[in-house]
């Protein structure tokens, strides 16, 4: 199987929208006191560590020619970048539909964004593996001999 399920333009777009969402999250926490700064740090520190691990391992796998590993790391990195976007998207929904204050809705959104997209990344990687196995099974079941030519030679 060739090609990427997270091509470079998609990865760049995920980084851009993810950075914008992270900026909104940090800006939203500026209104709160010291307790909220600790919550923000408790979100950003693991996020940064996970990002670094995924980015470094993706680069390393690419340099070593391990395309499957590189693709898996890139898929996880793409969804990690999109986690803050989902968090930002569900925060106003939680505020309006559940009647939560902004602080509680934002905290719930952060937890849900990371959890949902971590599960999604694992599911996409698993789907890619199952798809590759199916392709391999079909390729091994296909006849390997070249079909005989049906053009007959003229009789003299």
């Amino acid at each position: 199987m060739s090609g990427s399920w997270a091509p470079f333009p998609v990865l760049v777009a995920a980084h851009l929208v993810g950075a914008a969402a992270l900026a909104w999250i940090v800006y939203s926490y500026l209104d709160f006191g010291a307790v909220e700064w600790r919550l923000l740090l408790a979100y950003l520190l693991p996020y940064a560590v996970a990002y670094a691990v995924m980015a470094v391992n993706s680069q390393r796998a690419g340099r070593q020619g391990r395309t499957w590993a590189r693709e898996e790391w890139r898929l996880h990195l793409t969804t990690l970048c999109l986690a803050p976007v989902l968090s930002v998207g569900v925060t106003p929904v939680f505020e309006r539909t559940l009647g939560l204050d902004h602080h509680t809705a934002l905290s719930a959104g952060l937890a849900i964004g990371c959890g949902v997209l971590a599960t999604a990344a694992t599911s996409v990687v698993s789907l890619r593996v199952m798809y590759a196995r199916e392709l391999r099974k079909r390729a091994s079941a296909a006849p390997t001999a070249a079909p005989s030519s049906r053009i007959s030679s003229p009789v003299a």
Side-chain angles (χ1 to χ4, degrees), residues 24-25 28-29 32 87 91 101-111:
W24 184 86
I25 290 168
S28 294
Y29 268 105
F32 304 121
S87 298
T91 296
D101 63 289
H102 181 70
H103 167 256
T104 305
L106 181 58
S107 296
L110 294 179

Side-chain angles (χ1 to χ4, degrees), residues 56-74 128:
V56 166
N57 284 326
S58 173
Q59 291 294 327
R60 182 180 301 144
R63 281 193 311 272
Q64 294 173 348
R66 298 180 301 129
T67 57
W68 269 93
R70 184 191 64 136
E71 182 67 14
E72 289 179 13
W73 285 115
R74 284 178 71 163
R128 183 172 165 84

